[in-house]
């Protein structure tokens, strides 16, 4: 494979409608840090790959044996990580650390504009995402947007203004679009 995708934790701070991760607080699990490093070591040494996709749950909630997802990124300075995140936990400290590392880009999940994002992810989530994006921009961290196409937002996704907004106004450098996977 040219890259792997790893989900270090099912834990999430949100309960989004239709989420595939289904992060039930009672049954959420996280991989031990040693498993994550063993997997990435294998990809690095045996596959010769330097690109890892991280999803979840919410990767920035990962914590095992006093190690966080930031420790994973720091442990592999010559591996590039693309992290799918809800974007609500990116404070100034995390943005500054990501900037210094330089090997991580974030793909922040939205559902359209504020109304659509808050509908699926929770009231006030879009504002938290915008604050996180401001933190990333202030520290020069690359970020993009990921959006799941649904019957609730398809008209927005078919309108060029949506792309102008996220690329020209918000400053995203890339966008992923997914189909909904109902669970």
């Amino acid at each position: 494979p040219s890259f792997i995708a790893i989900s270090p934790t099912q834990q999430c701070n949100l309960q989004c409608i239709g989420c595939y991760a289904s992060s039930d607080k009672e049954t959420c699990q996280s991989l031990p840090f040693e498993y994550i490093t063993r997997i990435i070591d294998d990809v690095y040494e045996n596959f010769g790959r330097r690109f890892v996709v991280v999803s979840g749950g919410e990767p920035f909630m990962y914590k095992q044996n006093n190690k966080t997802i930031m420790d994973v990124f720091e442990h592999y300075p010559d591996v590039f990580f693309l992290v799918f995140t809800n974007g609500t936990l990116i404070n100034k400290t995390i943005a500054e650390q990501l900037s210094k590392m330089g090997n991580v880009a974030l793909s922040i999940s939205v559902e359209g504009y504020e109304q659509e994002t808050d509908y699926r992810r929770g009231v006030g989530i879009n504002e938290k995402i915008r604050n996180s994006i401001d933190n990333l921009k202030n520290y020069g961290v690359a970020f993009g947007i990921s959006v799941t196409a649904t019957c609730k937002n398809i008209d927005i996704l078919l309108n060029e203004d949506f792309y102008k907004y996220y690329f020209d106004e918000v400053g995203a450098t890339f966008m992923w679009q997914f189909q909904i996977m109902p669970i």
Side-chain angles (χ1 to χ4, degrees):
S2 3
F3 67 92
I4 66 156
I6 189 167
S7 295
T9 186
Q10 286 181 299
Q11 293 179 354
C12 189
N13 57 323
L14 303 180
Q15 294 292 319
C16 302
I17 296 169
C19 179
Y20 75 92
S22 186
S23 51
D24 179 359
K25 304 271 188 255
E26 308 273 322
T27 60
C28 279
Q29 295 183 6
S30 296
L31 293 172
F33 185 79
E34 298 75 30
Y35 285 18
I36 294 171
T37 57
R38 188 173 355 158
I39 292 166
I40 297 173
D41 284 346
D42 193 37
V43 167
Y44 187 94
E45 294 167 13
N46 296 321
F47 295 170
R49 303 299 185 224
R50 308 292 187 267
F51 180 57
V52 174
V53 174
V54 180
S55 69
E58 171 50 51
F60 287 95
M61 288 193 69
Y62 176 77
K63 188 167 187 176
Q64 283 288 312
N65 302 329
N66 293 318
K67 301 284 188 180
T68 69
I69 197 66
M70 299 296 282
D71 292 304
V72 174
F73 305 150
E74 189 173 44
H75 190 77
Y76 296 97
D78 60 344
V79 171
F80 186 78
F81 295 92
L82 173 61
V83 181
F84 286 89
T85 174
N86 64 39
T88 61
L89 302 176
I90 311 302
N91 58 31
K92 290 178 182 178
T93 302
I94 289 174
E96 182 178 22
Q97 289 174 327
L98 291 170
S99 175
K100 289 178 181 175
M101 287 183 218
N103 63 336
V104 181
L106 303 183
S107 185
I108 300 172
S109 299
V110 297
E111 303 309 320
Y113 300 109
E114 180 175 8
Q115 179 180 347
E116 295 78 24
T117 299
D118 281 359
Y119 170 78
R120 183 164 185 227
R121 299 188 176 276
V123 175
I125 298 303
N126 191 76
E127 184 177 345
K128 288 181 180 181
I129 289 169
R130 287 307 305 265
N131 289 336
S132 293
I133 286 173
D134 288 344
N135 291 334
L136 294 170
K137 287 167 63 172
N138 288 338
Y139 286 98
V141 178
F143 73 93
I145 301 300
S146 65
V147 60
T148 301
T150 70
C151 63
K152 303 277 187 202
N153 67 1
I154 192 64
D155 290 338
I156 291 167
L157 299 182
L158 293 173
N159 187 316
E160 188 67 27
D161 290 342
F162 174 74
Y163 304 94
K164 288 179 183 176
Y165 172 73
Y166 276 106
F167 289 119
D168 297 343
E169 291 181 42
V170 175
T173 57
F174 61 90
M175 181 180 292
W176 290 87
Q177 287 192 8
F178 297 96
Q179 294 177 348
I180 191 161
M181 295 183 280
I183 58 167

